Amino acid sequence: MTMLKEVEVPSAKISIREDGVMHVHIKVSSSFEMENSKEIFEAREFISEGRKFPILYTSEYRFLTPSKEVKEYISSRPRTGLVIADGFVIGSFSQRLAAKIYLKLNKPEVPTGFFSTEEEAIEWLKEFVQK
């Protein structure tokens, strides 16, 4: 897949794919905190140039889970301003459990899906790409 734009920060590598999906690959290996989320938000804001994108989130760390503050922030209106939909690839039981709790308690502002594979997430996110 060709990347149209790419930026890297300590917490993540962020790319805009040619299919119109933004990909955030998280590099944090343990607890995902607010400073990580804010850093990624600023990088997404920079790379998107004000355009909204469906966003794919991946990580090579199967046990990465967000803090309570991050879960609240992810579902908040200020953060979702440049987001059409969120697709998270999750790979562990703890992440699946956190995902179910997140959907019930935080009620995200944008369509949000959790997937076992990157391919499933991308197919779902492509439905939200703005032409």
Side-chain angles (χ1 to χ4, degrees), residues 27-77:
K27 300 188 295 185
V28 177
S29 62
S30 57
S31 181
F32 192 79
E33 302 295 336
M34 273 304 295
E35 61 265 15
N36 306 121
S37 203
K38 287 181 180 179
E39 179 179 65
I40 291 169
F41 174 81
E42 289 172 6
R44 283 192 313 101
E45 198 172 41
F46 170 77
I47 198 171
S48 71
E49 298 177 348
R51 283 187 53 217
K52 287 183 161 195
F53 286 90
I55 303 178
L56 167 68
Y57 292 90
T58 60
S59 173
E60 58 212 60
Y61 302 103
R62 293 174 36 91
F63 299 101
L64 177 68
T65 54
S67 69
K68 180 182 179 201
E69 294 90 9
V70 170
K71 287 185 240 179
E72 291 169 0
Y73 174 69
I74 288 173
S75 62
S76 71
R77 198 172 294 270

Side-chain angles (χ1 to χ4, degrees), residues 76-122:
S76 71
R77 198 172 294 270
R79 183 256 170 203
T80 58
L82 294 175
V83 179
I84 298 171
D86 284 320
F88 297 88
V89 177
I90 56 177
S92 69
F93 176 75
S94 61
Q95 287 177 328
R96 289 186 208 297
L97 185 59
K100 286 181 181 182
I101 293 169
Y102 168 75
L103 288 175
K104 286 186 190 269
L105 296 180
N106 297 97
K107 302 193 182 3
E109 294 277 328
V110 298
T112 303
F114 296 92
F115 304 90
S116 298
T117 68
E118 196 170 315
E119 292 76 20
E120 292 172 325
I122 291 168

